[in-house]
Amino acid sequence: MSSRKLSSSASQPSRLQGLCALIGLAVILGVIGTLARAVVVEARPPDLIVQAESVRRGAGGWVMDVTVVNRGDLTAAAVEVEGVSGSETAKATLDYVPGHGSKAAALVFTGDERPRATLRVLGWSSP
């Protein structure tokens, strides 16, 4: 009689097993949903903006630290940044800026006065 009780209780899953099964189901459904979204929704191209962070005195003149932010989904490669302050132009090239990410660069101005540069992204390519 005791052997029957052992076999019937051993065949029922424990609460822990049920909880693990529910967690596994949730993970699998999440992965399927993410993959389905990636197939249906088209990735947005790079959308780059450049922002001045700080200006400091350096050995070669004035150094303007800038950040390039990519608001798009896709990565931008060979990103060219330009700063114009009066008659002086400074440029920098970033290897890449990831989708929904940012990268820092520095523009060097050799003039005596603190630069008030107009910043822009000149262009980029697809990696």
Side-chain angles (χ1 to χ4, degrees), residues 22-35:
L22 287 175
I23 291 172
L25 177 64
V27 169
I28 288 172
L29 291 176
V31 169
I32 290 172
T34 301
L35 291 175

Side-chain angles (χ1 to χ4, degrees), residues 7-119:
S7 66
S8 66
S9 66
S11 66
Q12 293 179 352
S14 70
R15 288 182 181 165
L16 181 60
Q17 287 174 324
L19 178 63
C20 289
L22 287 175
I23 291 172
L25 177 64
V27 169
I28 288 172
L29 291 176
V31 169
I32 290 172
T34 301
L35 291 175
R37 181 181 180 274
V39 168
V40 174
V41 176
E42 189 172 329
R44 292 180 302 151
D47 182 14
L48 303 176
I49 58 170
V50 61
Q51 305 166 339
E53 297 297 328
S54 65
V55 179
R56 56 188 159 80
R57 198 75 159 125
W62 291 94
V63 179
M64 178 177 281
D65 295 311
V66 298
T67 301
V68 179
V69 178
N70 185 352
R71 298 183 297 190
D73 296 325
L74 300 177
T75 298
V79 178
E80 294 183 44
V81 180
E82 177 185 71
V84 178
S85 179
S87 62
E88 189 174 7
T89 301
K91 295 181 182 180
T93 302
L94 296 167
D95 291 335
Y96 71 97
V97 180
H100 299 286
S102 63
K103 287 285 185 174
L107 301 174
V108 179
F109 294 91
T110 57
D112 293 332
E113 293 183 23
R114 183 182 179 95
R116 292 186 181 142
T118 302
L119 303 172

